[in-house]
Amino acid sequence: MRILVTGASGQLGSEVVRLLQQREAERRRDRLEVAAADHAKLDVSRRDAVMAAISSFEPDVVFHAAAWTAVDACEGDPDRALAVNGLGTRHVAEAARRAGSHVVYVSTDYVFDGRSSEPYTEWDTTNPLSAYGRSKRAGELEIDPVWTTVRTSWLMGRTGSNIAKTILRLGRERGEALPFVDDQTGSPTVACDLAEKLLELGLARRPGVFHVTNQGSTTWFGLARAVLSAAGLDPGRVEPIKTAELVPPRPARRPAFSVLDNAALRLGGDRLLPAWEESVERLVSALG
Ligand SMILES: NC(=O)c1ccc[n+]([C@@H]2O[C@H](COP(=O)([O-])OP(=O)(O)OC[C@H]3O[C@@H](n4cnc5c(N)ncnc54)[C@H](OP(=O)(O)O)[C@@H]3O)[C@@H](O)[C@H]2O)c1
C-alpha cells in the first residue's frame, strides 16, 4: 500500500507520518510505502506540482494534512487562504481522482458559527465566521462523498507551535497573571490521538464526514489551567477574560461554542478518543 501525506511536517502530518513509519517498521499489516511531502517538497497551491507528485507515486491513500492554519493571518489575506486551503484541496482531489487514490481531508470546527448551545453533529449546517473557516469549508466541498473528511478542533501536538506550548512558555517566563478567554468553548484535541483515528478511518477508506476530537469540552481559560497544573505550575495565575477584552483584538472572529459531537463514531459503535484532560496531561509530560 502506498500512502502520501501532505503537510508532513505540521503538527498533525508529522504524527501521521510517525505512526505510518512505525507500522512500516513493524510490518504489522501489508507492506506500506510512505511519501512524506512537507511544504518544501510539495506546495499544494501549485496544480502542476500536485499532479506530478500524485501521478508518479500513485498513492492508494492521500492524507491531506497541509493547510494554512494561521487563523488571524488568513483574515488579512483571504485569497491566500483560499488558494492553499480551497484550491489546494481541489488540486489534491483532481490528482487523486486520476490516480484512483482515496483522500482523507482534515477540516475544522471553525466551519461552524458557534451560535448553537448543543455540540455540532456532522450533519449540521456550516456557516464559517472567518476567512480561514471559509477556506477550509471550500476545501470540504472538493471532497468526493466516497472519501473521508475528518473535522477536528483545538489541535495541539509535539511539533510546531501551538497553544499548549504557548501556555507553558508564558507560565514559565512570566510571574504575573495570565489572562485567557472564558467565553469560547471547544474540545482540545491532541495530535497523536487524532492521527491514530485518522489512520484507522483512512486506511479502511471509510466514506463521509467524521467529527474526531478528544472527549469533553472547556474554554481557553480551562485549558490554560489544566496545562499549568499538568506541568506542576500554579493554575491560580490564570485569569478569565472575555474575547472583547483581548488587547489588541484578534482580527478573525472565532465561534463562541464549537464543540463537535463525534456522532458518526459514537452512533456507529466506533471507539472515541480519550477525555481531553487525560490526553493534555500526557502531552504536557511529553513536552517536558
Ligand atoms: N491547529 C488547529 O487548531 C486545527 C484545528 C482544527 C483543524 N485543523 C486542521 O488540521 C490540519 C492540520 O493542522 P495542523 O495543526 O497540523 O497545522 P500546521 O501545524 O500548521 O501544519 C500544516 C502544514 O501545512 C503546511 N503548508 C502550509 N501551506 C502549504 C502549502 N501551500 N502547501 C503545502 N503545505 C503547506 C505547513 O507548512 P509551513 O508551516 O512550512 O508553511 C505545515 O507544515 C489542517 O487541515 C488544519 O486546518 C487544525
Side-chain angles (χ1 to χ4, degrees):
M1 199 178 208
R2 278 189 299 278
I3 296 167
L4 186 135
V5 182
T6 70
S9 57
Q11 290 197 88
L12 179 62
S14 60
E15 291 292 345
V16 169
V17 169
R18 189 184 58 79
L19 285 179
L20 286 168
Q21 285 171 343
Q22 218 170 55
R23 286 186 185 210
E24 205 177 2
E26 290 166 3
R27 304 209 173 186
R28 269 196 354 222
R29 309 246 162 128
D30 304 336
R31 196 164 148 53
L32 294 178
E33 215 182 310
V34 182
D38 62 14
H39 192 172
K41 277 198 198 130
L42 180 63
D43 180 342
V44 296
S45 66
R46 286 188 45 215
R47 180 174 174 273
D48 53 347
V50 176
M51 297 303 280
I54 293 186
S55 70
S56 62
F57 188 61
E58 292 191 320
D60 297 286
V61 182
V62 177
F63 288 94
H64 178 29
W68 191 30
T69 59
V71 176
D72 289 313
C74 285
E75 207 62 22
D77 194 349
D79 269 0
R80 180 177 162 198
L82 214 47
V84 176
N85 300 341
L87 192 58
T89 303
R90 175 174 294 184
H91 299 152
V92 171
E94 182 187 359
R97 266 178 223 117
R98 286 200 194 175
S101 319
H102 181 90
V103 177
V104 181
Y105 174 66
V106 186
S107 192
T108 170
D109 54 331
Y110 284 12
V111 298
F112 294 113
D113 63 19
R115 291 199 189 105
S116 174
S117 50
E118 295 293 320
Y120 289 96
T121 77
E122 289 82 347
W123 295 272
D124 283 328
T125 306
T126 56
N127 183 29
L129 300 175
S130 62
Y132 168 74
R134 284 189 292 278
S135 70
K136 293 297 297 181
R137 176 65 190 149
E140 289 186 358
L141 297 173
E142 299 297 336
I143 296 303
D144 289 354
V146 293
W147 292 341
T148 314
T149 296
V150 169
R151 291 198 192 115
T152 192
S153 61
W154 297 25
L155 194 60
M156 58 200 84
R158 287 175 292 188
T159 54
S161 57
N162 62 51
I163 186 71
K165 288 186 182 176
T166 305
I167 295 165
L168 284 175
R169 182 174 46 77
L170 293 174
R172 287 178 178 138
E173 280 172 6
R174 287 208 209 157
E176 69 265 33
L178 301 171
F180 276 87
V181 300
D182 76 340
D183 58 357
Q184 288 173 31
T185 300
S187 301
T189 302
V190 172
C192 59
D193 290 352
L194 175 63
E196 291 261 8
K197 186 58 82 176
L198 213 61
L199 287 201
E200 191 184 312
L201 295 171
L203 297 181
R205 296 182 174 83
R206 295 274 297 272
V209 180
F210 293 86
H211 287 175
V212 182
T213 62
N214 279 122
Q215 296 302 288
S217 63
T218 187
T219 63
W220 296 110
F221 165 75
L223 175 65
R225 283 180 56 89
V227 168
L228 291 190
S229 294
L233 298 164
D234 176 16
R237 283 169 50 208
V238 186
E239 281 188 351
I241 58 163
K242 301 293 167 210
T243 303
E245 293 170 324
L246 279 170
V247 183
R250 310 278 285 280
R253 276 176 73 202
R254 271 88 171 157
F257 181 90
S258 62
V259 181
L260 300 178
D261 181 355
N262 293 195
L265 295 181
R266 188 171 55 77
L267 302 173
D270 286 282
R271 196 175 41 84
L272 299 172
L273 266 47
W276 71 266
E277 294 94 329
E278 197 184 301
S279 293
V280 164
E281 201 174 315
R282 255 187 287 117
L283 173 65
V284 171
S285 40
L287 290 173

